[in-house]
């Protein structure tokens, strides 16, 4: 099926750009985070899975000195003479992601060659499933066109593109999982050491992402505010606890004994981060002993903490979580990603999926007047080149 889509993509590429000499296709997945939200920029742990929803870029060298990027979803073509790339500035446009990546690659010593790129994404935008990182990573691979780079450097470079060029002070989770995703596994990432391990999920459960179809405007500014509040918490804890450089360094029991020293809002932000980091470890342990009830309970605790302490949820996400928890066969549910809209992730029995889909869709539509999109979360491989895409026949 996927191969068929790629071979259709080459037809589209020829239609758009003419010749397709040297064409290669690169893919980078979106993600759903199972637990560990807003912990990455606090150097804690996260537990995402890479999805089979991915961004693909077909790329071929061009001969006229230009870089052209066509976004199929937007029906929009951008073009620049390659010699002007270093001078480009943020345009508050989707092309900021690939251009930011091009800048980082140039800084790392990789020349950007004239090329034509066709972008096709199946990661729904604004869904909190990390369409930005999927675009960054697939763009980087398309620009590299087979030149090698250490995967961790690639993840950091794409994260820097988002921080420095796009202006979003994100953590490393999204870019990391898009590169290190693993089929059939979740990936526990230590955002301080930047090491990871694959976590096999127990049999008899499945994860669904439910898209609230909203993205509230304050998402970006609130994210920056939370990053700053966490830095403030560290600063205020430092005089009382030696060696603290991030909230990762504060254990839940240390927090208990010094929380009275913090102003109310900062205290709640820090409490979310510190307890959430602990929940990742507890969830992985519960997963390893197939304690489904405990995994579900931890997801709900995570959501409540994001809702009340970190205050990054919204009425649509709270509704989806609360409604999901009333459906037979559901173990747990929580918002996933940055918040203020986007998706929830729900853990449930596979046989409950049809009833769940129907009930949640009807309930959400009657409350908010929109039908939510629902995605099965199949843990998939990380980014890479799509080989042999031309030999696979197109679907009927
Ligand atoms: C966004 C950011 C990530 C992470 C999540 C919240 O997706 O890009 O780095 O901080 O929000 O967990």
């Amino acid at each position: 099926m996927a191969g068929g889509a790629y071979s259709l993509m080459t037809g589209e590429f020829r239609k758009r750009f003419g010749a397709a000499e040297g064409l290669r296709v690169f893919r980078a997945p979106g993600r759903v985070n199972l637990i560990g939200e807003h912990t990455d920029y606090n150097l804690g742990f996260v537990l995402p899975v890479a999805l089979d929803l991915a961004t693909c870029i077909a790329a071929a060298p061009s001969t006229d000195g230009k870089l052209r990027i066509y976004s199929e979803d937007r029906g929009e073509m951008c073009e620049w003479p390659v010699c002007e790339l270093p001078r480009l500035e943020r345009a508050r446009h989707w092309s900021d992601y690939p251009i930011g990546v091009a800048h980082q690659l140039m800084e790392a010593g990789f020349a950007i060659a004239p090329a034509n790129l066709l972008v096709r994404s199946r990661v729904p935008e604004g869904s909190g499933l990390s369409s930005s990182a999927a675009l960054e990573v697939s763009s980087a691979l398309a620009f590299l066109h087979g030149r090698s780079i250490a995967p961790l450097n690639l993840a950091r470079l794409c994260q820097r593109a988002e921080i420095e060029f796009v202006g979003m002070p994100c953590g490393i989770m999204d870019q990391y999982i898009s590169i290190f995703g693993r089929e059939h596994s979740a990936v526990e990432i230590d955002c301080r050491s930047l090491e990871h391990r694959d976590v096999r999920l127990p049999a008899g459960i499945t994860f669904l992402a439910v898209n609230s179809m909203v993205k509230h405007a304050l998402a970006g500014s609130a994210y920056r505010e939370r990053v700053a509040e966490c830095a403030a918490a560290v600063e205020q804890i430092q005089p009382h606890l030696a060696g603290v450089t991030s909230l990762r360094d504060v254990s839940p029991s240390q927090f208990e004994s010094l929380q009275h020293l913090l102003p109310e809002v900062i205290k709640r932000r820090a409490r979310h981060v510190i307890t959430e980091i602990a929940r990742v470890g507890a969830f992985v342990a519960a997963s390893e002993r197939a304690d489904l009830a405990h995994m579900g309970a931890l997801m709900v605790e995570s959501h409540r903490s994001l809702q009340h302490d970190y205050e990054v949820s919204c009425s649509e996400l709270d509704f989806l979580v609360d409604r999901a928890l009333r459906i037979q066969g559901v173990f747990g549910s929580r918002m996933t990603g940055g918040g203020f809209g986007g998706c929830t992730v729900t853990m449930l029995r596979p046989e409950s999926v049809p009833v769940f889909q129907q009930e949640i869709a009807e309930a959400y539509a009657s409350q908010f007047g929109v039908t939510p999109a629902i995605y099965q979360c199949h843990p998939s491989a990380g980014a890479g080149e799509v080989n042999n895409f031309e030999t696979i026949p197109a679907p009927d």
Side-chain angles (χ1 to χ4, degrees), residues 31 33 36-42 46 128-130 132-133 159 162 168-175 215 223 227 272 276 306 310 312 334-339:
R31 61 101 188 91
N33 189 21
E37 218 65 80
H38 288 275
T39 50
D40 60 352
Y41 53 85
N42 290 295
V46 292
L129 299 181
S130 194
S132 321
Q159 182 200 15
E162 186 149 347
M168 178 53 73
C170 63
I172 195 149
M173 167 169 70
D174 303 349
Q175 294 81 7
K215 186 81 201 168
Y223 190 93
V227 172
H272 164 70
E276 183 76 355
L306 288 156
Y310 218 59
V312 291
R334 55 182 291 279
M335 55 154 277
T336 185

Side-chain angles (χ1 to χ4, degrees), residues 22-27 57-61 105 110-113 115 117 137-150 154 383-387:
L23 186 94
R24 298 170 78 161
V25 177
F26 303 91
R27 166 194 167 277
I57 301 189
L105 283 170
F110 294 99
I112 303 295
L117 272 57
V137 174
S138 54
S139 301
L141 294 178
F143 292 140
L144 287 164
H145 219 73
R147 285 174 290 177
S148 79
I149 182 168
L154 180 61
E385 181 162 7
V386 180
N387 294 311

Side-chain angles (χ1 to χ4, degrees), residues 64 66-69 77-82 84-85 88:
D64 61 358
K66 290 191 173 155
L67 171 66
R68 280 189 204 79
I69 310 182
M77 178 80 82
C78 297
E79 78 169 60
W80 310 266
V82 160
E84 281 179 17
L85 291 179
L88 294 180

